[in-house]
Amino acid sequence: MNHERFMKIAIKLAETALQKDEVPVGAVFVADGEILATGINDTNRSLCGTRHAEFLGIEQILQTYTAEIFMKVDLYVTVEPCVMCAAALRQLGIRAVYFGCANDRFGGCGSVLRVNADKSPIMSPFKVFPGLYRKEAIMLLRRFYIQENEKAPTPKTKKSRLLKTDFVPLELDRYVLDKDHLNELNSIKLTESHHAQAT
Amino acid sequence: MEFLQIGNDPLDRPLELIDIYATIIPAKDSRLVLERLKDSLPEEVHELSHLRRLNRIDDEGEIRLDLAICSVDTIDRDKLDSIIQGLPCSKIRIEQAPKFPARTKEQCTTWNTKVWPSFWRSNPNCLPAVLTADEKDQMTYYVNKLAEQVRDKHKIHNKDLPIATFAVDPDTQTIVATDFDARNSSGNPLEHSVMRCIRKVAELELERRREPNAVKGYLCLNMHLYTTHEPCSMCAMAMVHSRVGRLVYIRDMPQTGAINPLSAQGYCIHNNAKLNWRFNTWKPQDDLQIDLPDVSDTINA
Ligand SMILES: [Zn+2]
Ligand SMILES: [Zn+2]
């Protein structure tokens, strides 16, 4: 499988977002091994709090395909989709989501709410596979917050300008639903240092 | 028009009951009995401060009181019997009482005719639950106008779902943006009216900022959103991201809504302690009197 290749592209996209002063999140949508669309966060440029990387990619796909395509689409995204995006992806019927790091404040796939899998009379759930290129995704976010702080009219204390390089382990229980799901996650082969279990 | 506030407790939570011990005592001995109970009973295991502990019995002769002692879960019957031994109490009875306080005064009055009486107090767990007369008038005006617009639009264009949203600036009392559901005509199932309306607010802000010395707005900070149907999780979270100040919606969406505690997964995204922004939310008390074209309840509004 090409998980590594797609996630690397997502990380690259997040880098571009960072250069544009956007929260560094990159998204890659894949079907049948082909990239259908990509997206980066666009909230600051657009002055719109809902222009997340996922939405830009989704809109790109729907210019060419009908929504039925999402049955066979997987998303690779550097940060866990927020509650809004997780709800959107579920309404579209996406197949699976692979992500880098948890979204502690807004995460909709287990960190704050579990919009992707909670019982619904209408929509089927989707599975998430966390921890791919997690450290890279976290370091991008940290670099963003330091960059923002330096631009602020009154930068905060020196401490907040230091780039931390330690990582707390990922709480897998929040995202992994059962044993089969865990086996599936563990079978994802990445370069050793990039795997969730390696942290 | 009257409005109900949507908090985290279901507005029409069914009456849940709990067993309590009760006894009848002469009014003149109430102090003695209450003091003895206070000293001897273990701490109440439920939160029952809403119960009316002493109830006057209207009959001839000596004044008597019906006393709620404590919940059955708090103490064994044998132990209670030994505590009240020697006190002027009638034989202990088991009665049923509401486990939680009533949400409305009317509900409380109805309950009191059926089970052990309780007090009605406005719920402190809710966000500030007072609307001024002016606010109610404004909300009534916008709710009616929104319903009218969705009806009118539906007459000439019924390919799309009759769901609509206004963003209102409460300071200037103007409608900043209006938008309608467009999932069918656009082919994008995520083109809900709330998402479109929020995006329109941003587009207008971008345009405004091209003017020299424009005063900058920030997202939908403190704006009031009016929408015909209870928003889905996506739209509700979009409002959190956009710093909306208030939501007014007309119809509940019990299978897909993300606001009302009784809807779908009960997320209460407008007032969820795990999220960093909250907005108070209201709906018309008699929403069914507001005429809206039908929307299937399997729709994510
Ligand atoms: Zn998002
Ligand atoms: Zn919606």
Side-chain angles (χ1 to χ4, degrees):
Chain A
M1 286 294 275
N2 284 318
H3 299 305
E4 183 154 350
R5 187 182 133 223
F6 297 132
M7 208 60 192
K8 266 186 184 159
I9 297 171
I11 293 280
K12 281 247 164 62
L13 288 162
E15 285 272 2
T16 12
L18 183 70
Q19 281 153 25
K20 294 183 176 180
D21 291 330
E22 295 285 352
V23 178
V25 181
V28 176
F29 290 85
V30 175
D32 302 325
E34 298 285 333
I35 295 175
L36 292 185
T38 62
I40 62 170
N41 250 14
D42 191 38
T43 56
N44 291 335
R45 187 209 58 80
S46 67
L47 307 179
C48 185
T50 63
R51 303 305 287 158
H52 288 185
E54 292 89 335
F55 272 79
L56 278 81
I58 290 165
E59 284 163 21
Q60 216 178 309
I61 293 173
L62 291 172
Q63 282 173 11
T64 315
Y65 302 93
T66 61
E68 282 70 47
I69 183 92
F70 283 97
M71 278 190 302
K72 55 174 188 173
V73 173
D74 293 328
L75 165 65
Y76 294 81
V77 59
T78 54
V79 181
E80 174 193 355
C82 74
V83 170
M84 173 183 74
C85 292
L89 293 163
R90 189 165 182 184
Q91 288 180 29
L92 291 170
I94 197 152
R95 193 169 69 172
V97 172
Y98 299 80
F99 66 80
C101 64
N103 183 341
D104 297 326
R105 286 163 70 206
F106 305 117
C109 302
S111 292
V112 178
L113 295 176
R114 196 181 275 163
V115 174
N116 64 309
D118 280 338
K119 257 210 178 77
S120 155
I122 318 288
M123 295 167 290
S124 10
F126 66 84
K127 272 189 198 163
V128 296
F129 298 95
L132 287 72
Y133 288 81
R134 175 172 180 251
K135 289 182 179 175
E136 287 77 358
I138 293 175
M139 289 313 289
L140 278 161
L141 292 174
R142 288 181 183 169
R143 279 165 56 201
F144 174 76
Y145 292 116
I146 286 172
Q147 178 177 311
E148 287 301 285
N149 184 41
E150 277 166 0
K151 280 190 195 136
T154 48
K156 288 186 194 134
T157 54
K158 204 169 180 181
K159 199 177 154 209
S160 66
R161 275 183 274 150
L162 288 175
L163 191 61
K164 286 194 295 176
T165 52
D166 52 325
F167 302 92
V168 293
L170 189 69
E171 292 173 54
L172 279 182
D173 303 359
R174 288 174 176 271
Y175 319 99
V176 176
L177 302 172
D178 53 41
K179 203 148 183 184
D180 287 347
H181 189 178
L182 184 65
N183 290 338
E184 244 179 292
L185 176 66
N186 286 334
S187 71
I188 295 175
K189 295 276 174 283
L190 292 181
T191 312
E192 191 54 31
S193 69
H194 297 308
H195 203 284
Q197 307 304 304
T199 56
Chain B
M1 195 181 285
E2 290 300 317
F3 290 89
L4 290 175
Q5 187 173 24
I6 311 294
N8 290 12
D9 293 335
L11 283 171
D12 42 359
R13 178 164 53 198
L15 173 58
E16 249 185 89
L17 295 169
I18 187 168
D19 287 339
I20 58 164
Y21 295 116
T23 182
I24 293 171
I25 58 171
K28 64 175 168 50
D29 298 323
S30 60
R31 235 181 105 173
L32 168 75
V33 174
L34 287 173
E35 269 171 21
R36 174 79 68 88
L37 288 174
K38 192 168 168 255
D39 292 342
S40 323
L41 280 177
E43 204 183 329
E44 172 61 56
V45 296
H46 298 283
E47 170 48 45
L48 296 177
S49 61
H50 55 285
L51 296 187
R52 205 183 282 271
R53 198 146 185 233
L54 291 165
N55 297 280
R56 194 184 155 123
I57 296 170
D58 284 319
D59 54 8
E60 301 289 303
E62 186 189 41
I63 303 166
R64 297 184 307 151
L65 301 171
D66 203 1
L67 165 70
I69 299 172
C70 63
S71 69
V72 168
D73 296 335
T74 301
I75 191 169
D76 287 338
R77 177 65 188 267
D78 301 349
K79 288 200 185 113
L80 180 59
D81 280 335
S82 69
I83 286 174
I84 63 160
Q85 209 168 33
L87 287 174
C89 298
S90 72
K91 191 167 182 298
I92 302 278
R93 322 186 312 277
I94 291 178
E95 292 277 349
Q96 292 193 307
K99 190 168 179 185
F100 302 104
R103 277 300 303 273
T104 64
K105 207 170 174 177
E106 295 69 35
Q107 192 176 47
C108 187
T109 314
T110 321
W111 289 2
N112 286 356
T113 63
K114 296 185 215 155
V115 295
W116 194 273
S118 53
F119 293 110
W120 185 76
R121 298 187 200 96
S122 52
N123 192 326
N125 295 329
C126 261
L127 300 156
V130 192
L131 291 173
T132 64
D134 275 358
E135 279 179 306
K136 269 192 218 173
D137 287 348
Q138 278 174 42
M139 282 160 64
T140 305
Y141 170 77
Y142 289 122
V143 162
N144 285 330
K145 196 173 165 109
L146 183 68
E148 189 188 306
Q149 288 210 6
V150 90
R151 285 193 304 264
D152 289 351
K153 168 128 185 179
H154 196 58
K155 272 181 219 147
I156 50 167
H157 174 94
N158 61 10
K159 188 185 175 195
D160 272 309
L161 295 168
I163 305 174
T165 303
F166 284 159
V168 171
D169 179 341
D171 296 331
T172 58
Q173 291 184 37
T174 46
I175 297 175
V176 180
T178 304
D179 225 315
F180 297 87
D181 194 285
R183 71 189 77 180
N184 296 342
S185 52
S186 70
N188 181 345
L190 308 179
E191 287 289 286
H192 301 188
S193 65
V194 169
M195 300 301 284
R196 289 170 64 84
C197 191
I198 287 174
R199 222 162 57 216
K200 200 175 254 179
V201 170
E203 284 161 14
L204 291 168
E205 176 68 16
L206 267 179
E207 224 166 86
R208 248 162 41 84
R209 287 197 188 180
R210 292 205 189 98
E211 302 292 318
N213 308 320
V215 183
K216 285 182 183 174
Y218 177 67
L219 306 174
C220 299
L221 183 66
N222 298 332
M223 280 185 198
H224 294 181
L225 255 63
Y226 288 78
T227 190
T228 50
H229 296 77
E230 182 187 4
C232 71
S233 307
M234 171 181 71
C235 292
M237 191 62 193
M239 287 187 245
V240 170
H241 284 319
S242 304
R243 304 291 186 260
V244 162
R246 173 181 294 172
L247 166 67
V248 181
Y249 72 84
I250 303 174
R251 285 277 197 283
D252 282 312
M253 294 300 276
Q255 297 202 58
T256 59
I259 303 290
N260 192 319
L262 291 174
S263 293
Q265 300 85 0
Y267 289 140
C268 296
I269 286 180
H270 68 303
N271 190 28
N272 190 310
K274 295 182 198 157
L275 298 170
N276 69 342
W277 184 260
R278 301 185 195 197
F279 44 89
N280 64 40
T281 298
W282 304 82
K283 59 168 278 182
Q285 192 156 15
D286 300 313
D287 74 270
L288 292 176
Q289 307 216 322
I290 299 162
D291 180 26
L292 293 177
D294 279 344
V295 170
S296 151
D297 49 352
T298 58
I299 292 294
N300 282 290

